[in-house]
């Protein structure tokens, strides 16, 4: 294993901050939880897990090839990671008052329907692959990545969002009130936005 505990901690923290940012997965979980409770929401969380593993694998193997073919590409990707985090943070701050809407298309009953909905939400989001393609090189040296490193990266990429998604689904009554409060959504978006910018700054100087 070549990655350090400090790198793992920083990456895990970034994933946690990103989870705290309301987005398509939050909307999907909220919709299914409101329509069928936790029983309807947990299969969707498992569907999201598949995408949370696929995207890092695509990024790791694709970027590893590029890095070995083009000298200096890792440095470029590190600054891409910085730009991605700062841009995402700035976008959240700029649109801090944007409210969330429910998506009734995701509420079809059934475990399989929930799983497919979760998979569709994570795979159908073009920001996901852009995030991983731009962010992973900022945390890890992919040219030295071993099988154990890749396993740890994938594990962190799905376990933190999964835990958060299951907690979100179980706490839907309180979350529903939170997401309906313009002030709470604004405060949450502002906090997450500045934290994302902070992560970008840390990557720039490490």
């Amino acid at each position: 294993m070549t990655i350090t505990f400090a790198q793992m901690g920083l990456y895990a923290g970034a994933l946690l901050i990103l989870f705290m940012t309301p987005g398509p997965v939050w909307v999907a979980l909220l919709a299914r939880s409101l329509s069928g409770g936790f029983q309807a929401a947990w299969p969707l969380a498992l569907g999201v897990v598949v995408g949370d593993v696929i995207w890092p694998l695509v990024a790791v193997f694709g970027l590893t090839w590029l890095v070995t073919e083009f000298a200096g590409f890792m440095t470029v990707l590190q600054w891409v990671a910085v730009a991605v985090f700062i841009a995402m943070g700035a976008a959240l701050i700029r649109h801090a008052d944007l409210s969330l809407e429910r998506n009734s298309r995701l509420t079809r009953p059934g475990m399989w329907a929930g799983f497919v909905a979760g998979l569709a939400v994570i795979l159908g989001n073009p920001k996901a692959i852009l995030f991983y393609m731009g962010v992973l090189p900022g945390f890890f040296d992919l040219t030295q990545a071993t099988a154990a490193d890749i396993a740890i990266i994938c594990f962190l990429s799905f376990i933190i969002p999964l835990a958060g998604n299951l907690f979100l689904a179980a706490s839907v009554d309180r979350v529903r009130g939170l997401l309906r409060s313009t002030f709470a959504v604004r405060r949450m978006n502002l906090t997450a936005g500045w934290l994302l910018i902070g992560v970008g700054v840390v990557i720039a100087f490490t």
Side-chain angles (χ1 to χ4, degrees):
M1 186 174 73
T2 64
I3 61 178
T4 66
F5 287 106
Q7 289 174 314
M8 287 187 276
L10 182 60
Y11 183 60
L15 288 171
L16 181 60
I17 295 170
L18 287 174
F19 164 76
M20 293 167 54
T21 305
V25 175
W26 272 47
V27 174
L29 278 170
L30 179 63
R32 289 195 66 84
S33 296
L34 290 174
S35 65
F38 183 78
Q39 184 67 25
W42 72 260
L44 184 141
L46 292 185
V48 173
V49 165
V50 177
D52 284 334
V53 172
I54 289 176
W55 286 136
L57 286 175
V58 170
V60 167
F61 289 109
L63 291 174
T64 300
W65 178 82
L66 287 173
V67 168
T68 56
E69 292 294 323
F70 301 99
F73 198 66
M74 180 62 71
T75 301
V76 174
L77 289 177
Q78 180 176 354
W79 286 104
V80 169
V82 172
V84 168
F85 270 110
I86 292 178
M88 291 177 66
L92 274 176
I93 293 170
R94 181 180 179 184
H95 302 290
D97 295 318
L98 192 63
S99 61
L100 298 175
E101 299 177 353
R102 292 178 55 187
N103 188 344
S104 59
R105 293 174 297 178
L106 300 172
T107 59
R108 188 167 54 173
M111 293 178 57
W112 178 248
F115 180 85
V116 172
L119 188 59
V121 166
I122 192 68
L123 294 183
N125 184 0
K127 291 183 180 180
I129 187 61
L130 177 62
F131 169 77
Y132 282 111
M133 291 292 284
V135 166
L136 280 179
F139 293 98
F140 312 108
D141 183 358
L142 300 181
T143 60
Q144 304 296 324
T146 64
D149 294 332
I150 295 172
I152 290 173
I153 291 171
C154 290
F155 177 76
L156 290 174
S157 296
F158 85 78
I159 195 63
I160 293 175
L162 175 62
N165 288 336
L166 292 177
F167 177 79
L168 177 64
S171 308
V172 66
D173 288 335
R174 298 183 65 180
V175 173
R176 176 174 54 184
L178 175 67
L179 296 181
R180 287 179 176 174
S181 168
T182 302
F183 174 76
V185 171
R186 173 179 171 79
R187 182 174 57 184
M188 184 165 47
N189 283 337
L190 286 173
T191 300
W194 284 113
L195 286 173
L196 287 174
I197 291 175
V199 172
V201 172
V202 170
I203 293 175
F205 291 98
T206 55

